[in-house]
């Protein structure tokens, strides 16, 4: 097998009764182990979807059905390690985000080892999203693929439709468990096994057929009176206390501030309830966060040991952030919104692209390995890099830009929604024009932010000398 490419992401899920407008929301930072790895937003039309699929990393070969749906996708620009589509929304308004790398333990792998020639993050969106018509069907299809082909890594995968969100976690080489997220709940999932309390007989859970039997047969449950899959199948390591748990803690602190918890706590809950309805802006803030207003903020005033103790959610290794929204208060033609931003999340904004299109704007589609400020990926990375040199100096510019940008995007979205009736005969073309307008505005405002930062920052350069001139 090729050298495995690893990622380390953060996921946020929001049920339709927990969101501000009744949408389901699944979202994730697609992080890597390197700072830069160009990505693109594309549409895969049915004619472009492979019928015979072969993975680059594991070489697994999978025959695919002949009736794929169209779907949005966020592939790598450089395909030496495969497509890595990350996430998307198909033409039936089903969303999928894959994957959140999670954890396991030796007891599990001693029973069901990983499969070197199996499927993994590189493959999952391509193998599943074009063929599903509900979130639950996504769980069923992926579960069957895992049982047949196995996997070489542990992952968490999110599915959503207009009504439901399901979260699936892989277990060992061939097993899995999934849970429906309650409509009034949210989830913050870092790189560990996240599902905790689990009832195999409940209507809101699914699992590989023999998982319950395996837990009993091999004496995997450490608890006396409960079935907690994180305890049974996951980890509780020192690394979790500094790398994973603090991210869940900060997200839960933001959405439910009245609940006092320790950032290193191993048993932070999986299912949570916010003290208010959650907006897209809330989700983006958490996915960009670096422990603001705590002593752990990398850009804050805490001690150096505090500032470097925990792994933040927003990090230089953010390659994209996607927020997949399926709306319930609009016609189906405009229900799917694929919000996206590229690069480190501290100095970017998510843009709400309509998913019901056959192509995407060039500035979001054509980035490659060559630095080019005409592509949003490179423009966003450049802005984040400059902002990192003096965060306190640049952050107010960022805040003003973010308000102006999100206001402009929402105005375009509201106007496009309102005029849909006049264009329903060719909705994809109408929405593609709106997406181009959104992309143009995003490039304009991101470029202005970078320009403002360069102009203001040039006065602070160390390479200067004053003699009354």
């Amino acid at each position: 097998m090729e050298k495995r490419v690893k990622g380390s992401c953060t996921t946020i899920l929001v049920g339709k009764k927990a969101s501000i407008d009744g949408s389901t929301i699944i979202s994730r930072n697609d992080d890597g182990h390197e700072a830069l790895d160009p990505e693109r937003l594309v549409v895969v039309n049915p004619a472009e979807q492979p019928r015979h699929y072969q993975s680059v990393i594991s070489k697994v070969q999978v025959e695919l059905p002949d009736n794929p749906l169209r779907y949005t996708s966020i592939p790598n620009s450089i395909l030496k390690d495969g497509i890595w589509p990350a996430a998307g929304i198909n033409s039936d308004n089903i969303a999928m985000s894959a994957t959140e790398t999670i954890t396991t333990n030796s007891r599990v792998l001693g029973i069901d080892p990983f499969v070197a020639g199996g499927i993994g993050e590189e493959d999952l969106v391509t193998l599943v999203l074009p063929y599903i018509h509900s979130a639950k069907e996504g769980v069923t299809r992926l579960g069957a693929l895992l049982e047949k082909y196995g996997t070489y890594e542990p992952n968490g995968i999110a599915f959503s439709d207009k009504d439901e969100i399901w979260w699936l976690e892989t277990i060992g080489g061939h097993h899995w468990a999934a849970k429906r997220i309650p409509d009034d709940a949210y989830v913050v999932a870092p790189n560990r096994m996240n599902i905790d309390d689990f009832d195999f007989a409940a209507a809101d859970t699914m699992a590989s057929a023999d998982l319950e039997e395996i837990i009993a047969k091999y004496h995997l449950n450490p608890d006396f009176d409960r079935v907690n899959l994180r305890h049974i199948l996951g980890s509780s390591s020192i690394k979790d206390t500094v790398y994973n748990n603090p991210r869940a803690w900060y997200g839960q602190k933001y959405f439910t501030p009245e609940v006092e918890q320790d950032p290193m706590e191993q048993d932070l809950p999986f299912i949570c309830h916010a003290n208010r309805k959650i907006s897209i802006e809330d989700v983006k803030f958490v996915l960009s966060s670096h422990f603001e207003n705590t002593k752990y903020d990398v850009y804050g005033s805490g001690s150096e040991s505090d500032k470097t103790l925990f792994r933040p959610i927003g990090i230089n290794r953010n390659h994209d952030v996607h927020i997949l929204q399926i709306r319930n208060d609009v016609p189906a033609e405009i229900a799917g919104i694929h919000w996206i931003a590229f690069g480190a999340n501290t100095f970017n904004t998510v843009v709400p692209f309509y998913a019901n299109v056959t192509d995407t704007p060039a500035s979001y589609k054509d980035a490659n390995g060559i630095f080019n400020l005409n592509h949003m990926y490179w423009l966003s990375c450049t802005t984040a890099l400059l902002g990192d040199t003096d965060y306190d100096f640049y952050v107010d510019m960022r805040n003003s830009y973010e308000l102006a940008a999100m206001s402009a995007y929402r105005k375009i979205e509201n106007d496009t929604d309102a005029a849909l009736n006049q264009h329903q005969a060719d909705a994809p073309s109408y929405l593609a024009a709106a997406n181009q307008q959104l992309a143009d505005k995003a490039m304009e405002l991101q470029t202005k932010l970078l320009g403002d930062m360069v102009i203001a920052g040039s006065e602070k350069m160390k390479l200067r000398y004053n003699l009354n001139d």
Side-chain angles (χ1 to χ4, degrees), residues 298-431:
V298 173
Y299 297 122
S301 57
S303 69
E304 285 305 307
S305 60
D306 284 336
K307 291 194 293 184
T308 57
L309 180 59
F310 297 148
R311 191 271 209 205
I313 296 174
I315 199 168
N316 66 320
R317 297 185 278 106
N318 300 143
H319 294 161
D320 80 70
V321 54
H322 51 266
I323 304 174
L324 309 182
Q325 179 187 26
I326 309 299
R327 301 187 291 175
N328 276 295
D329 61 345
V330 297
E333 293 95 329
I334 56 174
I337 303 292
H338 190 139
W339 296 80
I340 191 168
F342 294 120
N345 289 333
T346 43
F347 283 81
N348 63 18
T349 56
V350 283
V351 182
F353 290 112
Y354 291 91
N356 182 22
V357 293
T358 59
D359 203 357
T360 54
S363 57
Y364 278 76
K365 181 179 66 174
D366 292 341
N368 54 33
I370 299 172
F371 180 84
N372 185 340
L373 290 179
N374 292 313
H375 297 148
M376 180 55 84
Y377 176 85
W378 289 110
L379 180 58
S380 294
C381 291
T382 303
T383 313
L385 179 63
L386 180 56
D388 186 71
T389 64
D390 194 338
Y391 181 82
D392 289 340
F393 179 73
Y394 292 118
V395 71
D396 196 49
M397 297 180 208
R398 187 280 310 273
N399 292 342
S400 297
Y401 147 78
E402 188 170 34
L403 177 61
M406 289 298 289
S407 300
Y409 307 153
R410 286 198 175 276
K411 180 66 165 60
I412 294 170
E413 182 184 42
N414 289 337
D415 291 346
T416 302
D417 287 356
L420 175 67
N421 288 341
Q422 304 167 35
H423 303 276
Q424 279 186 311
D426 190 7
S429 295
Y430 171 63
L431 299 177

Side-chain angles (χ1 to χ4, degrees), residues 34-191:
E34 60 289 314
L36 296 177
D37 191 1
E39 293 188 349
R40 308 176 295 132
L41 175 66
V42 305
V43 174
V44 180
N45 290 292
E48 300 162 324
Q49 172 71 4
R51 272 50 174 185
H52 173 80
Y53 177 84
Q54 179 169 334
S55 168
V56 171
I57 293 176
S58 73
K59 311 303 183 186
V60 67
Q61 298 184 45
V62 181
E63 297 300 322
L64 295 174
D66 198 32
N67 58 341
L69 299 171
R70 184 184 70 234
Y71 61 103
T72 59
S73 173
I74 321 170
N76 287 358
S77 297
I78 301 168
L79 301 179
K80 64 181 179 65
D81 296 310
I83 300 170
W84 290 73
I89 301 174
N90 72 25
S91 53
D92 270 4
N93 289 326
I94 313 304
M96 177 181 181
S97 180
T99 68
E100 182 77 29
T101 304
I102 60 170
T103 53
T104 185
N105 63 58
S106 60
R107 296 179 299 280
V108 173
L109 295 180
I111 300 163
D112 184 11
F114 289 137
V115 179
I119 58 177
E121 183 172 352
E122 174 200 343
D123 319 302
L124 300 186
V125 170
T126 303
L127 299 181
V128 177
L129 183 58
Y131 311 103
I132 59 175
H133 308 276
S134 71
K136 191 173 184 179
E137 188 178 336
V139 172
T140 301
R141 176 168 174 79
L142 178 54
L145 289 168
L146 290 166
E147 291 169 18
K148 180 176 181 179
Y149 295 99
T151 184
Y152 52 84
E153 60 185 359
N155 282 314
I157 300 95
F159 299 96
S160 66
D161 53 41
K162 67 183 180 64
D163 292 315
E164 297 186 346
I165 296 172
W166 282 81
W167 175 253
L168 179 150
E169 294 186 326
T170 68
I171 299 161
H174 300 87
H175 291 83
W176 57 274
K179 190 163 187 173
R180 183 185 187 278
I181 308 306
D183 294 342
D184 63 348
Y186 74 89
V187 166
V188 180
N191 301 119

